[in-house]
Amino acid sequence: MAAKLLALACIRNDSYGDLSPRPHYPSMPKYPKGVSAQETSLEGSEAKAMFSVIGMTCSACAGSVEKAVKRLPGIREAVVDVLNNRAQVMFYPSFVNETIREAIEDVGFQASLIKDETNEKSIQVCRIHINGMTCTSCSSTVEKALQAIRGVQKAQVALATEEAEIHYDPKAVSHNQLMKAIEDAGFEATLVSTGEDISKIDLQVDGVMTGNSMRMLENSLQALPGVQAVDVSTEIKKISVSYKPDITGPRNFIRVIESTGSSRRFKATIFPEGEGGGRETHKREEIKQYFRSFLWSLIFTIPVFLTSMVFMYIPGIKHGLDTKVVNMLTVGEIMRWVLSTPVQFIIGRRFYTGSYKALRHGSANMDVLIALGTNAAYFYSVYTVLRAATSPDFEGTDFFETSAMLISFILLGKYLEVLAKGKTSEAIAKLMNLAPETAILLTLDGEGNVISEEEIDSRLIQKNDVIKIIPGAKVASDGFVLWGQSHINESMITGEARPVAKRKGDTVIGGTVNENGVLHIKATKVGSESALAQIVRLVESAQMAKAPVQKFADRISKYFVPLVIILSFSTWLAWFLAGKFHGYPESWIPSSMDRFELALQFGISVMVIACPCALGLATPTAVMVGTGVGASQGVLIKGGQALESAHKVNCIVFDKTGTLTVGKPVLVNTRLLKNMVLHEFYELLAATEVNSEHPLAKAIVEYAKKFREDEENPAWPEARDFVSVTGHGVKAFVRNREIIVGNKSLMLDHNIAIPADAQDMLTETEGMAQTGILVSIDGEVTGVLAISDPVKPGAQEVISILRSMNVRSIMVTGDNMGTASSIARQIGIETVVAEAKPEQKAEKVKDLQAAGYAVAMVGDGINDSPALVAADVGMAIGAGTDIAIEAADIVLMKSNLEDVITAIHLSQKTFSRIRLNYIWALGYNILGIPIAAGALFPSTGFRLPPWIAGAAMAASSVSVVCCSLLLKNYKRPKKLENLEIRGIKIE
């Protein structure tokens, strides 16, 4: 008590927020040394944290805590509340190097974080395109460089897509710093997206004469509500605007730009590159670059090849080439030297820069092997040429054709590789091209009549715009139908082949095709919020995520290049020493070489035949093609981890409602146990259930609407204190009466007696595979409802096919045992777990995993999310909620159960392709290196010249990518095609 009084005695009138005041101590400088206030005043760079501090007894204690915290660099303010044992700290996260909690504990108090306002919501995901990576060694170097940056939580670098996905705290590090780190590691970085929760558009502005005009436009745009940031590139007359689509949109920006200034000379259009175009342009440029390099190298290499390999056998030309210029130096040697030098140092410059950058960061990649191999051949040849020029009797052979042809073949291989790699990402390109180029914008009057229509670029569509969709045209944006009816082909998004009927109120997806009628739709989701953009993002993220099997290649690549260099040197040394000490007969040495040159040829061949690229591309290319094929079939697989887990699945746990059944329950019977008007009974029921998202609740509300036939969207009485008891039912107060709607256990939990009549009806409904629902009004069971949810067509056949694949099927549902067992019998499932709460579903999954099963969970609702996360593979049926889709590893866009089989089958095919790629890549290196080292030479006389070894190395990468591309021909299992023939195609 005395301590509290002492604390209260310290209180003065100058309070701070909701914390009690404190004594003032001179605080340390607010900014760390060398950092100005301007640098730290960036919007959003400040963070706030609340700590619980145990052990403070008076204001002196508070003072010592405050002093300790303020001593840390980067602390803006610290306020200690001794009465409530709390400390509130405002700080700059990029400068606080030590933890605040530790500082408090150092002065003798216990501290724990209550609330940190730099929580996970502030984490952003940014995507950066990286140019110059050749193998897993390069991607590992970039990954390490990014992970070493403070503020980076996770960094993934995908070799196949040449992109990095970085989860970072924007308060601690900017995307420019991330790009600089990549460039410092020796690669080119281009920003793809910053991942901020905003839309972005690039505009080209014509009529701008000066930088002053651009600043004027920038200020005008900044003043618009909803504009987050404006970036100006004066040289290319480009303005990038980041904005909140709920508040503003691109047409507003164009209007502002064109109305700015007195003469109104500015004209704004969408920047030609367009969304996603930058990446495609870069890919095309890279393919062109490799092709150009290859052609130039051919121009120089063909004469080198002819003078060393062909013309030597044509007497007249041979005599001309063998003409001595100085001492033993011939015309042919000078020609080969002159022609191969540009190939080595100008066309082959990329290998030198790649090697330098890799070695500078302590790693070695494919470029190092190529540079070492070609340099050995080139500089030995230079040595022989100089010796020949200075010696009257020196006879040596040059290998200029080796270095030139090696570089040419490797460039050809890289050209074919980037060409093939471009095809692996065709699925994303196709998805991005689904959006139409133009749209018809309607202007409506107050009564909803069309005043005018105008054709606009589809990227200019804003939220709440009304768009006209004519027959045969693509739907320009996500939205809902305001007027008209038609059929829409959604196969390009969902994989569903049959057109879907649409009428007023139905939702439509951007990128789908309108078949017959005219529709007026209201845009609800535009730009980055659209379903199409989200699917593209999901597929892109899937292609970024590494499969666990990729770790195998990453481990090998760490040691691969150094090991190859050692092997290459050892090969040269072994052959050289064997020749020097006459370990093999003189007849083995070709007439145009000596022992040293033969040994050098073997050493170079070993160095250039070893290919770390094929290993690095084995997994990501197959995952890219597999996820792309899945997306086109309506199966969205979230990355390599999901693919790898899905191919092992031998037990599937199915939710019942909406998964095995249609998910649109229908109320089929009502029995009242008290005297009550049916209309009033359903009025109270609907008022309670309208607040629930559960399919059974929707069935009750739909049935109640029959008593209000005159109204399309009736207004129900207000429900107070609404509570949803997940897996059991709901309760609320309507018109001062307590309404409880749910299963038997909910009634028992509320001590409500269940009459015998109600019990009999429940037993009867369960026997008919219907769900019995009890309704209690003011603590008495008033009625029993019977709701039927028909089984999905084809469910029985799908379970049968799974059984033939040795996959066990189990049903886990929150419904009663009678209904669940009846449905399980209909479709052939033997194991049923009924009346399970969400956490019990997850427990069942864990029990199966403990029993040694690889478990997949298939569900559609919020109550399935814990089980979807717990399972080895979570599959969300496409008609399900956003939360279920977020929690799942695989999203089935259609509500077809057979897609479960497609997902498992596709993952098995993809994984077998990955295995095949590894067998090829490893087998190639295991066989190729000994042959290049001369293992067959003693017995067969077969020797692999370096340029052929280089061609083989280039071919191995191309063959791995082509092997992955064969997945594009994937066909669903024949058993599923038979299902469709028998007419069990699901709407």
Side-chain angles (χ1 to χ4, degrees):
M1 186 69 190
K4 285 200 174 183
L5 286 169
L6 185 58
L8 286 164
C10 295
I11 295 178
R12 295 185 351 193
N13 291 329
D14 54 336
S15 63
Y16 186 90
D18 61 332
L19 298 172
S20 60
R22 76 283 182 222
H24 285 272
Y25 296 93
S27 66
M28 296 296 282
K30 288 182 182 179
Y31 314 110
K33 204 171 180 182
V35 178
S36 66
Q38 283 84 356
E39 281 175 72
T40 53
S41 65
L42 296 167
E43 192 182 357
S45 63
E46 189 176 287
K48 188 160 64 175
M50 186 78 77
F51 293 86
S52 164
V53 184
I54 309 296
M56 294 191 297
T57 54
C58 64
S59 54
C61 302
S64 61
V65 170
E66 189 173 320
K67 267 202 287 189
V69 172
K70 284 188 172 180
R71 266 196 204 102
L72 297 174
I75 300 294
R76 192 175 86 73
E77 186 58 275
V79 187
V80 181
D81 178 1
V82 72
L83 296 179
N84 297 310
N85 291 316
R86 292 188 303 172
Q88 180 175 283
V89 185
M90 297 176 83
F91 61 102
Y92 301 101
S94 46
F95 300 124
V96 179
N97 300 318
E98 305 157 67
T99 67
I100 298 163
R101 187 174 58 80
E102 280 172 8
I104 298 169
E105 286 175 349
D106 285 347
V107 289
F109 302 95
Q110 272 181 277
S112 58
L113 184 66
I114 303 170
K115 190 170 69 177
D116 183 3
E117 290 186 15
T118 58
N119 56 17
E120 280 186 12
K121 283 183 184 173
S122 68
I123 296 301
Q124 284 183 4
V125 182
C126 122
R127 299 174 76 86
I128 296 172
H129 185 277
I130 302 165
N131 194 21
M133 294 192 297
T134 54
C135 59
T136 44
S137 177
C138 302
S139 57
S140 301
T141 303
V142 176
E143 218 162 81
K144 274 185 208 157
L146 289 168
Q147 282 166 348
I149 301 169
R150 201 170 160 278
V152 171
Q153 291 215 341
K154 189 170 87 171
Q156 286 180 314
V157 179
L159 178 65
T161 55
E162 295 182 326
E163 277 190 13
E165 185 177 271
I166 307 136
H167 296 244
Y168 70 103
D169 181 356
K171 295 188 177 85
V173 64
S174 71
H175 56 78
N176 290 328
Q177 286 168 287
L178 298 173
M179 287 167 70
K180 189 177 183 303
I182 293 168
E183 282 161 4
D184 288 345
F187 302 93
E188 288 175 40
T190 314
L191 187 68
V192 177
S193 68
T194 55
E196 293 161 14
D197 193 19
I198 47 176
S199 294
K200 187 176 179 183
I201 193 157
D202 296 332
L203 299 172
Q204 184 164 16
V205 184
D206 295 322
V208 176
M209 302 298 178
T210 61
N212 205 31
S213 307
M214 271 298 206
R215 277 193 294 280
M216 184 167 68
L217 292 175
E218 186 181 351
N219 294 335
S220 302
L221 289 167
Q222 286 277 22
L224 276 178
V227 170
Q228 300 278 81
V230 180
D231 289 326
V232 173
S233 303
T234 312
E235 308 80 47
I236 52 172
K237 296 178 180 174
K238 175 171 134 182
I239 294 182
S240 301
V241 188
S242 301
Y243 61 98
K244 290 185 176 176
D246 289 350
I247 301 170
T248 189
R251 288 204 310 282
N252 296 352
F253 310 147
I254 290 173
R255 206 174 296 123
V256 165
I257 289 168
E258 292 182 352
S259 61
T260 299
S262 53
S263 58
R264 298 197 172 189
R265 67 173 186 274
F266 304 124
K267 192 86 182 142
T269 51
I270 285 180
F271 200 75
E273 196 174 69
E275 194 172 17
R279 218 176 316 180
E280 288 306 306
T281 309
H282 176 83
K283 267 183 195 158
R284 282 196 296 273
E285 190 51 46
E286 188 182 25
I287 290 166
K288 271 188 204 164
Q289 208 174 26
Y290 272 116
F291 187 64
R292 273 199 304 268
S293 297
F294 171 63
L295 284 182
W296 275 109
S297 70
L298 269 190
I299 290 165
F300 291 101
T301 302
I302 288 170
V304 173
F305 171 75
L306 292 173
T307 57
S308 62
M309 301 281 188
V310 179
F311 294 161
M312 303 313 289
Y313 302 100
I314 302 170
I317 301 173
K318 183 183 186 307
H319 177 71
L321 292 172
D322 286 345
T323 305
K324 305 282 189 295
V325 179
V326 180
N327 288 329
M328 300 298 285
L329 180 65
T330 64
V331 171
E333 284 172 333
I334 293 171
M335 277 180 66
R336 287 193 289 275
W337 187 10
V338 168
L339 288 166
S340 64
T341 301
V343 178
Q344 182 70 33
F345 297 108
I346 299 170
I347 296 162
R349 183 170 172 264
R350 67 175 69 237
F351 303 118
Y352 285 104
T353 53
S355 308
Y356 168 70
K357 287 168 181 175
L359 293 169
R360 198 180 72 184
H361 290 89
S363 64
N365 60 8
M366 188 198 77
D367 290 336
V368 173
L369 294 179
I370 296 166
L372 280 173
T374 55
N375 274 345
Y378 179 82
F379 285 109
Y380 176 73
S381 303
V382 170
Y383 163 76
T384 59
V385 166
L386 294 175
R387 275 293 305 275
T390 54
S391 169
D393 52 3
F394 174 80
E395 285 189 21
T397 309
D398 65 84
F399 298 136
F400 285 122
E401 82 286 346
T402 296
S403 69
M405 287 168 74
L406 196 50
I407 287 170
S408 297
F409 274 113
I410 286 162
L411 287 172
L412 172 63
K414 291 302 283 179
Y415 166 67
L416 294 173
E417 188 186 310
V418 292
L419 208 59
K421 267 162 64 179
K423 287 187 173 15
T424 61
S425 56
E426 266 181 4
I428 288 182
K430 277 182 186 168
L431 281 169
M432 290 174 109
N433 291 335
L434 284 177
E437 288 184 9
T438 59
I440 300 169
L441 176 70
L442 299 180
T443 309
L444 308 181
D445 62 15
E447 293 171 9
N449 300 315
V450 178
I451 300 170
S452 66
E453 54 182 68
E454 171 196 1
E455 191 170 2
I456 60 165
D457 189 306
S458 63
R459 288 167 294 180
L460 296 177
I461 295 172
Q462 296 178 190
K463 206 165 184 178
N464 298 323
D465 279 347
V466 178
I467 308 293
K468 179 181 177 181
I469 315 292
I470 58 174
K474 286 181 179 177
V475 176
S477 154
D478 290 9
F480 61 89
V481 179
L482 280 179
W483 175 88
Q485 54 185 36
S486 179
H487 283 79
I488 286 186
N489 181 355
E490 296 182 345
S491 61
M492 58 292 297
I493 302 285
T494 65
E496 176 59 73
R498 291 186 183 181
V500 182
K502 300 287 179 184
R503 53 181 62 84
K504 188 178 177 182
D506 288 344
T507 56
V508 290
I509 307 169
T512 54
V513 177
N514 184 19
E515 297 272 305
N516 38 33
V518 176
L519 294 175
H520 291 179
I521 65 153
K522 187 169 193 171
T524 53
K525 289 182 178 176
V526 294
S528 59
E529 291 183 337
S530 68
L532 192 57
Q534 285 175 27
I535 290 168
V536 168
R537 270 203 302 277
L538 194 146
V539 175
E540 282 180 336
S541 295
Q543 294 179 350
M544 289 296 307
K546 284 185 183 176
V549 71
Q550 175 73 26
K551 289 173 187 166
F552 167 69
D554 291 348
R555 275 198 301 273
I556 290 176
S557 71
K558 264 188 210 169
Y559 310 106
F560 189 87
V561 175
L563 187 67
V564 167
I565 293 168
I566 293 164
L567 279 173
S568 171
F569 181 75
S570 306
T571 302
W572 168 79
L573 193 64
W575 277 101
F576 178 66
L577 292 176
K580 191 145 181 84
F581 297 108
H582 306 289
Y584 58 82
E586 293 274 341
S587 59
W588 285 13
I589 304 170
S591 56
S592 59
M593 291 186 202
D594 60 21
R595 289 186 181 89
F596 178 85
E597 289 165 351
L598 179 67
L600 187 65
Q601 288 260 319
F602 282 128
I604 294 170
S605 292
V606 168
M607 195 170 288
V608 296
I609 201 167
C611 185
C613 301
L615 272 173
L617 293 168
T619 303
T621 51
V623 169
M624 276 183 83
V625 180
T627 49
V629 167
S632 67
Q633 300 262 354
V635 177
L636 299 181
I637 302 167
K638 295 185 184 177
Q641 173 80 60
L643 266 173
E644 190 164 334
S645 302
H647 96 279
K648 299 174 189 166
V649 165
N650 55 12
C651 176
I652 299 184
V653 175
F654 289 96
D655 174 45
K656 179 181 74 72
T657 310
T659 304
L660 291 170
T661 59
V662 172
K664 288 191 177 171
V666 182
L667 200 147
V668 291
N669 196 0
T670 311
R671 184 166 171 187
L672 293 180
L673 305 175
K674 304 279 178 195
N675 282 334
M676 192 174 185
V677 178
L678 202 59
H679 180 279
E680 188 191 347
F681 174 75
Y682 272 106
E683 189 93 347
L684 297 173
L685 257 182
T688 308
E689 292 285 18
V690 78
N691 299 294
S692 174
E693 280 294 305
H694 198 283
L696 299 180
K698 288 179 178 174
I700 293 169
V701 174
E702 278 304 309
Y703 189 80
K705 283 180 182 176
K706 291 179 182 176
F707 296 94
R708 296 265 200 99
E709 283 180 1
D710 53 324
E711 297 174 57
E712 195 173 318
N713 288 307
W716 305 107
E718 186 192 351
R720 290 182 297 104
D721 304 331
F722 174 82
V723 178
S724 173
V725 184
T726 310
H728 288 284
V730 296
K731 68 171 186 171
F733 285 88
V734 181
R735 292 177 180 162
N736 296 322
R737 303 180 78 175
E738 186 190 43
I739 316 293
I740 299 177
V741 188
N743 59 16
K744 199 158 55 174
S745 60
L746 184 65
M747 298 298 155
L748 296 174
D749 286 349
H750 287 79
N751 300 317
I752 297 167
I754 300 167
D757 287 3
Q759 191 66 60
D760 291 345
M761 191 175 171
L762 283 178
T763 310
E764 189 185 320
T765 55
E766 285 170 13
M768 294 161 66
Q770 295 171 353
T771 302
I773 291 177
L774 297 166
V775 181
S776 156
I777 299 177
D778 292 331
E780 284 186 301
V781 174
T782 309
V784 182
L785 313 177
I787 293 180
S788 173
D789 184 8
V791 170
K792 275 186 182 172
Q796 188 179 344
E797 284 81 357
V798 167
I799 300 300
S800 171
I801 293 168
L802 286 170
R803 196 179 295 115
S804 71
M805 292 166 70
N806 294 320
V807 177
R808 183 183 174 196
S809 298
I810 293 172
M811 183 200 289
V812 179
T813 177
D815 211 338
N816 61 71
M817 193 62 181
T819 307
S821 298
S822 175
I823 286 183
R825 275 195 303 275
Q826 278 184 51
I827 60 179
I829 290 180
E830 291 165 11
T831 312
V832 179
V833 178
E835 296 179 27
K837 291 181 180 178
E839 58 273 19
Q840 289 168 331
K841 289 183 182 182
E843 282 303 318
K844 181 63 185 171
V845 166
K846 287 173 187 168
D847 291 346
L848 289 164
Q849 287 168 328
Y853 286 102
V855 183
M857 169 75 197
V858 185
D860 74 325
I862 292 169
N863 59 353
D864 299 321
S865 295
L868 287 170
V869 172
D872 296 294
V873 182
M875 295 190 195
I877 280 277
T881 61
D882 288 345
I883 295 173
I885 288 169
E886 191 67 36
D889 301 302
I890 296 175
V891 179
L892 310 177
M893 295 289 286
K894 295 171 277 182
S895 290
N896 292 13
L897 268 177
E898 62 245 40
D899 281 348
V900 172
I901 296 167
T902 305
I904 293 171
H905 188 253
L906 176 61
S907 68
Q908 287 170 346
K909 288 284 180 195
T910 306
F911 212 76
S912 67
R913 191 65 49 170
I914 291 170
R915 275 203 203 99
L916 191 64
N917 283 349
Y918 273 127
I919 290 165
W920 170 252
L922 276 173
Y924 160 81
N925 281 300
I926 290 164
L927 288 173
I929 291 172
I931 292 168
L936 300 177
F937 190 62
S939 56
T940 63
F942 177 76
R943 183 172 59 84
L944 206 62
W947 60 272
I948 293 179
M953 184 265 274
S956 72
S957 296
V958 177
S959 56
V960 162
V961 178
C962 291
C963 183
S964 294
L965 282 172
L966 290 174
L967 262 177
K968 287 177 121 182
N969 303 322
Y970 169 79
K971 296 279 185 290
R972 299 197 315 159
K974 280 199 171 80
K975 293 170 184 172
L976 293 184
E977 303 305 324
N978 295 342
L979 269 186
E980 289 185 17
I981 291 163
R982 297 208 320 260
I984 311 172
K985 182 87 181 158
I986 295 155
E987 284 290 348

